[in-house]
Amino acid sequence: MAEKQELTLSKEEFGEFRKLIDNIELTDVSTVKQAFEAKRKHKVAEAVEVTIESAPAKITADAGLNVLKSYRVLVKKEKKTIFTFSATYELLFSTRDSTQVSAILENEKIRQFFEGLQLSKILWPFIREEFRTAAAKSGLKPFTLPFLK
């Protein structure tokens, strides 16, 4: 159900990715935008299709590392969208060496690996909880998205 990124890095690129991870520390996650829409005449049954979409992250590495990442969750029943949830999150990281972080993230494969692996794992609990809350508020029978694997 969750987006799966089939990304691979060479041994050298993975070494650079590890340097990136060792160089940053998550300091804050906040929801900067959230919206949902429900077709109230539909109730969520057992047989629904859930699609998770995400836009490319906006990553800036100046004094620290700032990331904006947006997701959209679509719940469909018999090919009709019955619930849409979208959210944009801001992640703030402190960095030991912002110049090194910026240089590492210039490598597109490492950047995509960071986005696909790290950001999704950090944000998935927020998405799950906020999705469930939005579904309940909309009058739909709330259900929980699965764990990210």
Side-chain angles (χ1 to χ4, degrees):
M1 285 194 179
E3 65 180 22
K4 287 205 175 189
Q5 303 262 343
E6 297 298 327
L7 300 170
T8 57
L9 297 177
S10 68
K11 187 175 181 178
E12 294 78 23
E13 290 168 329
F14 190 76
E16 288 296 301
F17 172 75
R18 288 297 315 152
K19 284 182 193 175
L20 171 67
I21 296 305
D22 291 343
N23 207 327
I24 62 175
E25 186 71 37
L26 181 65
T27 58
D28 194 21
V29 176
S30 57
T31 305
V32 294
K33 183 178 177 185
Q34 185 183 96
F36 62 88
E37 180 181 353
K39 308 289 192 266
R40 293 187 189 273
K41 62 183 176 184
H42 297 284
K43 294 293 180 192
V44 175
E46 294 297 317
V48 294
E49 177 187 343
V50 178
T51 305
I52 289 79
E53 302 170 343
S54 69
K58 294 177 183 169
I59 301 173
T60 54
D62 294 327
L65 182 63
N66 182 305
V67 179
L68 285 173
K69 180 74 176 161
S70 298
Y71 289 89
R72 187 168 77 156
V73 181
L74 302 168
V75 179
K76 294 181 180 181
K77 180 179 178 184
E78 299 168 357
K79 297 187 181 185
K80 291 183 182 177
T81 301
I82 61 170
F83 185 72
T84 303
F85 169 80
S86 60
T88 300
Y89 301 93
E90 181 177 39
L91 298 93
L92 301 175
F93 297 86
S94 62
T95 60
R96 290 190 192 110
D97 182 349
S98 59
T99 305
Q100 184 181 39
V101 167
S102 185
I104 292 170
L105 287 171
E106 286 179 12
N107 180 314
E108 190 60 32
K109 283 180 71 178
I110 294 172
R111 187 183 184 103
Q112 288 178 356
F113 194 80
F114 172 70
E115 183 177 341
L117 182 69
Q118 292 304 120
L119 296 182
S120 295
K121 286 184 179 182
I122 292 168
L123 291 173
W124 192 244
F126 293 89
I127 296 165
R128 290 178 77 221
E129 186 277 326
E130 291 177 356
F131 170 85
R132 182 173 174 80
T133 300
K137 285 180 179 180
S138 73
L140 291 174
K141 176 185 171 195
F143 65 98
T144 304
L145 296 172
F147 285 115
L148 181 64
K149 296 179 183 179

PDB file of all heavy atoms in Angstrom, residues 70-93:
ATOM      1  N   SER A  70       5.242  16.255   0.457  1.00  0.00           N
ATOM      2  CA  SER A  70       3.783  16.148   0.364  1.00  0.00           C
ATOM      3  C   SER A  70       3.353  14.742  -0.028  1.00  0.00           C
ATOM      4  O   SER A  70       4.012  14.087  -0.845  1.00  0.00           O
ATOM      5  CB  SER A  70       3.242  17.133  -0.679  1.00  0.00           C
ATOM      6  OG  SER A  70       3.526  18.457  -0.302  1.00  0.00           O
ATOM      7  N   TYR A  71       2.238  14.319   0.575  1.00  0.00           N
ATOM      8  CA  TYR A  71       1.651  13.014   0.299  1.00  0.00           C
ATOM      9  C   TYR A  71       0.170  13.164   0.016  1.00  0.00           C
ATOM     10  O   TYR A  71      -0.478  14.093   0.505  1.00  0.00           O
ATOM     11  CB  TYR A  71       1.811  12.072   1.504  1.00  0.00           C
ATOM     12  CG  TYR A  71       3.216  11.620   1.737  1.00  0.00           C
ATOM     13  CD1 TYR A  71       4.081  12.355   2.530  1.00  0.00           C
ATOM     14  CD2 TYR A  71       3.699  10.458   1.157  1.00  0.00           C
ATOM     15  CE1 TYR A  71       5.383  11.943   2.747  1.00  0.00           C
ATOM     16  CE2 TYR A  71       4.996  10.033   1.367  1.00  0.00           C
ATOM     17  CZ  TYR A  71       5.831  10.781   2.162  1.00  0.00           C
ATOM     18  OH  TYR A  71       7.121  10.374   2.371  1.00  0.00           O
ATOM     19  N   ARG A  72      -0.375  12.229  -0.738  1.00  0.00           N
ATOM     20  CA  ARG A  72      -1.809  12.140  -0.971  1.00  0.00           C
ATOM     21  C   ARG A  72      -2.218  10.679  -0.877  1.00  0.00           C
ATOM     22  O   ARG A  72      -1.555   9.815  -1.459  1.00  0.00           O
ATOM     23  CB  ARG A  72      -2.173  12.709  -2.336  1.00  0.00           C
ATOM     24  CG  ARG A  72      -3.673  12.799  -2.557  1.00  0.00           C
ATOM     25  CD  ARG A  72      -4.001  13.618  -3.751  1.00  0.00           C
ATOM     26  NE  ARG A  72      -3.744  12.825  -4.950  1.00  0.00           N
ATOM     27  CZ  ARG A  72      -4.317  13.042  -6.120  1.00  0.00           C
ATOM     28  NH1 ARG A  72      -5.142  14.046  -6.268  1.00  0.00           N
ATOM     29  NH2 ARG A  72      -4.036  12.286  -7.142  1.00  0.00           N
ATOM     30  N   VAL A  73      -3.275  10.427  -0.124  1.00  0.00           N
ATOM     31  CA  VAL A  73      -3.803   9.071   0.038  1.00  0.00           C
ATOM     32  C   VAL A  73      -5.191   9.049  -0.575  1.00  0.00           C
ATOM     33  O   VAL A  73      -6.053   9.853  -0.211  1.00  0.00           O
ATOM     34  CB  VAL A  73      -3.877   8.660   1.529  1.00  0.00           C
ATOM     35  CG1 VAL A  73      -4.401   7.242   1.662  1.00  0.00           C
ATOM     36  CG2 VAL A  73      -2.515   8.812   2.205  1.00  0.00           C
ATOM     37  N   LEU A  74      -5.406   8.122  -1.500  1.00  0.00           N
ATOM     38  CA  LEU A  74      -6.699   7.964  -2.154  1.00  0.00           C
ATOM     39  C   LEU A  74      -7.294   6.629  -1.736  1.00  0.00           C
ATOM     40  O   LEU A  74      -6.632   5.593  -1.817  1.00  0.00           O
ATOM     41  CB  LEU A  74      -6.543   7.988  -3.675  1.00  0.00           C
ATOM     42  CG  LEU A  74      -5.911   9.239  -4.276  1.00  0.00           C
ATOM     43  CD1 LEU A  74      -5.546   9.013  -5.736  1.00  0.00           C
ATOM     44  CD2 LEU A  74      -6.845  10.412  -4.141  1.00  0.00           C
ATOM     45  N   VAL A  75      -8.547   6.662  -1.301  1.00  0.00           N
ATOM     46  CA  VAL A  75      -9.269   5.433  -0.959  1.00  0.00           C
ATOM     47  C   VAL A  75     -10.350   5.264  -2.011  1.00  0.00           C
ATOM     48  O   VAL A  75     -11.192   6.143  -2.200  1.00  0.00           O
ATOM     49  CB  VAL A  75      -9.891   5.511   0.449  1.00  0.00           C
ATOM     50  CG1 VAL A  75     -10.662   4.236   0.765  1.00  0.00           C
ATOM     51  CG2 VAL A  75      -8.815   5.766   1.495  1.00  0.00           C
ATOM     52  N   LYS A  76     -10.306   4.130  -2.705  1.00  0.00           N
ATOM     53  CA  LYS A  76     -11.261   3.875  -3.785  1.00  0.00           C
ATOM     54  C   LYS A  76     -12.081   2.621  -3.472  1.00  0.00           C
ATOM     55  O   LYS A  76     -11.564   1.655  -2.920  1.00  0.00           O
ATOM     56  CB  LYS A  76     -10.535   3.686  -5.116  1.00  0.00           C
ATOM     57  CG  LYS A  76      -9.838   4.934  -5.588  1.00  0.00           C
ATOM     58  CD  LYS A  76      -9.155   4.733  -6.913  1.00  0.00           C
ATOM     59  CE  LYS A  76      -8.466   6.018  -7.340  1.00  0.00           C
ATOM     60  NZ  LYS A  76      -7.815   5.874  -8.629  1.00  0.00           N
ATOM     61  N   LYS A  77     -13.337   2.697  -3.852  1.00  0.00           N
ATOM     62  CA  LYS A  77     -14.245   1.553  -3.734  1.00  0.00           C
ATOM     63  C   LYS A  77     -14.886   1.390  -5.100  1.00  0.00           C
ATOM     64  O   LYS A  77     -15.515   2.329  -5.603  1.00  0.00           O
ATOM     65  CB  LYS A  77     -15.295   1.826  -2.654  1.00  0.00           C
ATOM     66  CG  LYS A  77     -16.271   0.706  -2.446  1.00  0.00           C
ATOM     67  CD  LYS A  77     -17.253   1.081  -1.345  1.00  0.00           C
ATOM     68  CE  LYS A  77     -18.270  -0.017  -1.151  1.00  0.00           C
ATOM     69  NZ  LYS A  77     -19.272   0.367  -0.155  1.00  0.00           N
ATOM     70  N   GLU A  78     -14.661   0.255  -5.688  1.00  0.00           N
ATOM     71  CA  GLU A  78     -15.181  -0.017  -7.034  1.00  0.00           C
ATOM     72  C   GLU A  78     -14.771   1.081  -8.018  1.00  0.00           C
ATOM     73  O   GLU A  78     -15.583   1.637  -8.746  1.00  0.00           O
ATOM     74  CB  GLU A  78     -16.700  -0.193  -6.984  1.00  0.00           C
ATOM     75  CG  GLU A  78     -17.117  -1.362  -6.114  1.00  0.00           C
ATOM     76  CD  GLU A  78     -18.619  -1.370  -5.817  1.00  0.00           C
ATOM     77  OE1 GLU A  78     -19.335  -0.442  -6.232  1.00  0.00           O
ATOM     78  OE2 GLU A  78     -19.042  -2.322  -5.153  1.00  0.00           O
ATOM     79  N   LYS A  79     -13.516   1.444  -7.991  1.00  0.00           N
ATOM     80  CA  LYS A  79     -12.885   2.416  -8.886  1.00  0.00           C
ATOM     81  C   LYS A  79     -13.349   3.864  -8.687  1.00  0.00           C
ATOM     82  O   LYS A  79     -12.965   4.745  -9.432  1.00  0.00           O
ATOM     83  CB  LYS A  79     -13.036   2.000 -10.349  1.00  0.00           C
ATOM     84  CG  LYS A  79     -12.347   0.688 -10.653  1.00  0.00           C
ATOM     85  CD  LYS A  79     -12.357   0.385 -12.117  1.00  0.00           C
ATOM     86  CE  LYS A  79     -11.680  -0.959 -12.338  1.00  0.00           C
ATOM     87  NZ  LYS A  79     -11.549  -1.270 -13.745  1.00  0.00           N
ATOM     88  N   LYS A  80     -14.176   4.128  -7.671  1.00  0.00           N
ATOM     89  CA  LYS A  80     -14.611   5.488  -7.367  1.00  0.00           C
ATOM     90  C   LYS A  80     -13.882   5.964  -6.121  1.00  0.00           C
ATOM     91  O   LYS A  80     -13.851   5.259  -5.108  1.00  0.00           O
ATOM     92  CB  LYS A  80     -16.117   5.549  -7.133  1.00  0.00           C
ATOM     93  CG  LYS A  80     -16.927   5.309  -8.376  1.00  0.00           C
ATOM     94  CD  LYS A  80     -18.399   5.448  -8.092  1.00  0.00           C
ATOM     95  CE  LYS A  80     -19.196   5.154  -9.356  1.00  0.00           C
ATOM     96  NZ  LYS A  80     -20.635   5.219  -9.102  1.00  0.00           N
ATOM     97  N   THR A  81     -13.285   7.147  -6.198  1.00  0.00           N
ATOM     98  CA  THR A  81     -12.597   7.704  -5.040  1.00  0.00           C
ATOM     99  C   THR A  81     -13.639   8.118  -4.009  1.00  0.00           C
ATOM    100  O   THR A  81     -14.517   8.937  -4.296  1.00  0.00           O
ATOM    101  CB  THR A  81     -11.731   8.904  -5.441  1.00  0.00           C
ATOM    102  OG1 THR A  81     -10.772   8.462  -6.415  1.00  0.00           O
ATOM    103  CG2 THR A  81     -11.002   9.485  -4.238  1.00  0.00           C
ATOM    104  N   ILE A  82     -13.535   7.540  -2.807  1.00  0.00           N
ATOM    105  CA  ILE A  82     -14.490   7.864  -1.747  1.00  0.00           C
ATOM    106  C   ILE A  82     -13.861   8.713  -0.638  1.00  0.00           C
ATOM    107  O   ILE A  82     -14.567   9.294   0.166  1.00  0.00           O
ATOM    108  CB  ILE A  82     -15.131   6.587  -1.144  1.00  0.00           C
ATOM    109  CG1 ILE A  82     -14.077   5.672  -0.522  1.00  0.00           C
ATOM    110  CG2 ILE A  82     -15.940   5.852  -2.200  1.00  0.00           C
ATOM    111  CD1 ILE A  82     -14.644   4.517   0.286  1.00  0.00           C
ATOM    112  N   PHE A  83     -12.525   8.779  -0.627  1.00  0.00           N
ATOM    113  CA  PHE A  83     -11.860   9.584   0.388  1.00  0.00           C
ATOM    114  C   PHE A  83     -10.488   9.994  -0.128  1.00  0.00           C
ATOM    115  O   PHE A  83      -9.753   9.171  -0.674  1.00  0.00           O
ATOM    116  CB  PHE A  83     -11.708   8.796   1.694  1.00  0.00           C
ATOM    117  CG  PHE A  83     -11.145   9.598   2.837  1.00  0.00           C
ATOM    118  CD1 PHE A  83     -11.909  10.567   3.467  1.00  0.00           C
ATOM    119  CD2 PHE A  83      -9.850   9.395   3.270  1.00  0.00           C
ATOM    120  CE1 PHE A  83     -11.386  11.317   4.522  1.00  0.00           C
ATOM    121  CE2 PHE A  83      -9.323  10.131   4.321  1.00  0.00           C
ATOM    122  CZ  PHE A  83     -10.100  11.094   4.955  1.00  0.00           C
ATOM    123  N   THR A  84     -10.167  11.260   0.021  1.00  0.00           N
ATOM    124  CA  THR A  84      -8.851  11.775  -0.362  1.00  0.00           C
ATOM    125  C   THR A  84      -8.273  12.527   0.826  1.00  0.00           C
ATOM    126  O   THR A  84      -8.948  13.362   1.426  1.00  0.00           O
ATOM    127  CB  THR A  84      -8.965  12.748  -1.556  1.00  0.00           C
ATOM    128  OG1 THR A  84      -9.604  12.082  -2.637  1.00  0.00           O
ATOM    129  CG2 THR A  84      -7.599  13.223  -1.999  1.00  0.00           C
ATOM    130  N   PHE A  85      -7.047  12.210   1.165  1.00  0.00           N
ATOM    131  CA  PHE A  85      -6.337  12.872   2.256  1.00  0.00           C
ATOM    132  C   PHE A  85      -5.015  13.376   1.697  1.00  0.00           C
ATOM    133  O   PHE A  85      -4.309  12.643   1.004  1.00  0.00           O
ATOM    134  CB  PHE A  85      -6.074  11.891   3.404  1.00  0.00           C
ATOM    135  CG  PHE A  85      -5.128  12.407   4.450  1.00  0.00           C
ATOM    136  CD1 PHE A  85      -5.571  13.277   5.434  1.00  0.00           C
ATOM    137  CD2 PHE A  85      -3.787  12.050   4.435  1.00  0.00           C
ATOM    138  CE1 PHE A  85      -4.701  13.779   6.392  1.00  0.00           C
ATOM    139  CE2 PHE A  85      -2.908  12.543   5.390  1.00  0.00           C
ATOM    140  CZ  PHE A  85      -3.367  13.405   6.378  1.00  0.00           C
ATOM    141  N   SER A  86      -4.679  14.625   1.984  1.00  0.00           N
ATOM    142  CA  SER A  86      -3.377  15.136   1.556  1.00  0.00           C
ATOM    143  C   SER A  86      -2.750  15.935   2.693  1.00  0.00           C
ATOM    144  O   SER A  86      -3.456  16.548   3.499  1.00  0.00           O
ATOM    145  CB  SER A  86      -3.505  16.002   0.303  1.00  0.00           C
ATOM    146  OG  SER A  86      -4.353  17.098   0.545  1.00  0.00           O
ATOM    147  N   ALA A  87      -1.440  15.887   2.741  1.00  0.00           N
ATOM    148  CA  ALA A  87      -0.712  16.611   3.785  1.00  0.00           C
ATOM    149  C   ALA A  87       0.684  16.943   3.291  1.00  0.00           C
ATOM    150  O   ALA A  87       1.288  16.200   2.517  1.00  0.00           O
ATOM    151  CB  ALA A  87      -0.630  15.786   5.058  1.00  0.00           C
ATOM    152  N   THR A  88       1.168  18.092   3.762  1.00  0.00           N
ATOM    153  CA  THR A  88       2.540  18.494   3.507  1.00  0.00           C
ATOM    154  C   THR A  88       3.228  18.655   4.851  1.00  0.00           C
ATOM    155  O   THR A  88       2.677  19.270   5.761  1.00  0.00           O
ATOM    156  CB  THR A  88       2.599  19.827   2.728  1.00  0.00           C
ATOM    157  OG1 THR A  88       1.920  19.652   1.478  1.00  0.00           O
ATOM    158  CG2 THR A  88       4.029  20.266   2.479  1.00  0.00           C
ATOM    159  N   TYR A  89       4.407  18.082   4.958  1.00  0.00           N
ATOM    160  CA  TYR A  89       5.166  18.095   6.203  1.00  0.00           C
ATOM    161  C   TYR A  89       6.468  18.850   6.005  1.00  0.00           C
ATOM    162  O   TYR A  89       7.072  18.808   4.935  1.00  0.00           O
ATOM    163  CB  TYR A  89       5.476  16.661   6.655  1.00  0.00           C
ATOM    164  CG  TYR A  89       4.237  15.845   6.872  1.00  0.00           C
ATOM    165  CD1 TYR A  89       3.711  15.053   5.863  1.00  0.00           C
ATOM    166  CD2 TYR A  89       3.564  15.889   8.090  1.00  0.00           C
ATOM    167  CE1 TYR A  89       2.557  14.317   6.054  1.00  0.00           C
ATOM    168  CE2 TYR A  89       2.406  15.154   8.292  1.00  0.00           C
ATOM    169  CZ  TYR A  89       1.911  14.374   7.267  1.00  0.00           C
ATOM    170  OH  TYR A  89       0.759  13.652   7.461  1.00  0.00           O
ATOM    171  N   GLU A  90       6.890  19.510   7.071  1.00  0.00           N
ATOM    172  CA  GLU A  90       8.194  20.158   7.082  1.00  0.00           C
ATOM    173  C   GLU A  90       9.060  19.438   8.105  1.00  0.00           C
ATOM    174  O   GLU A  90       8.650  19.257   9.254  1.00  0.00           O
ATOM    175  CB  GLU A  90       8.071  21.632   7.452  1.00  0.00           C
ATOM    176  CG  GLU A  90       9.422  22.334   7.445  1.00  0.00           C
ATOM    177  CD  GLU A  90       9.302  23.815   7.743  1.00  0.00           C
ATOM    178  OE1 GLU A  90       8.486  24.183   8.613  1.00  0.00           O
ATOM    179  OE2 GLU A  90      10.034  24.586   7.105  1.00  0.00           O
ATOM    180  N   LEU A  91      10.223  19.020   7.669  1.00  0.00           N
ATOM    181  CA  LEU A  91      11.186  18.360   8.549  1.00  0.00           C
ATOM    182  C   LEU A  91      12.400  19.272   8.673  1.00  0.00           C
ATOM    183  O   LEU A  91      12.916  19.753   7.661  1.00  0.00           O
ATOM    184  CB  LEU A  91      11.644  17.019   7.972  1.00  0.00           C
ATOM    185  CG  LEU A  91      10.564  15.972   7.786  1.00  0.00           C
ATOM    186  CD1 LEU A  91      10.001  16.038   6.384  1.00  0.00           C
ATOM    187  CD2 LEU A  91      11.126  14.603   8.060  1.00  0.00           C
ATOM    188  N   LEU A  92      12.818  19.496   9.896  1.00  0.00           N
ATOM    189  CA  LEU A  92      14.001  20.302  10.150  1.00  0.00           C
ATOM    190  C   LEU A  92      15.080  19.413  10.761  1.00  0.00           C
ATOM    191  O   LEU A  92      14.816  18.673  11.719  1.00  0.00           O
ATOM    192  CB  LEU A  92      13.675  21.454  11.093  1.00  0.00           C
ATOM    193  CG  LEU A  92      12.590  22.420  10.625  1.00  0.00           C
ATOM    194  CD1 LEU A  92      12.276  23.440  11.705  1.00  0.00           C
ATOM    195  CD2 LEU A  92      12.997  23.103   9.336  1.00  0.00           C
ATOM    196  N   PHE A  93      16.264  19.500  10.194  1.00  0.00           N
ATOM    197  CA  PHE A  93      17.410  18.744  10.681  1.00  0.00           C
ATOM    198  C   PHE A  93      18.520  19.724  11.031  1.00  0.00           C
ATOM    199  O   PHE A  93      18.751  20.685  10.292  1.00  0.00           O
ATOM    200  CB  PHE A  93      17.958  17.801   9.598  1.00  0.00           C
ATOM    201  CG  PHE A  93      17.012  16.725   9.142  1.00  0.00           C
ATOM    202  CD1 PHE A  93      16.091  16.974   8.140  1.00  0.00           C
ATOM    203  CD2 PHE A  93      17.063  15.462   9.698  1.00  0.00           C
ATOM    204  CE1 PHE A  93      15.231  15.993   7.691  1.00  0.00           C
ATOM    205  CE2 PHE A  93      16.205  14.460   9.261  1.00  0.00           C
ATOM    206  CZ  PHE A  93      15.288  14.719   8.252  1.00  0.00           C
TER     207      PHE A  93
END
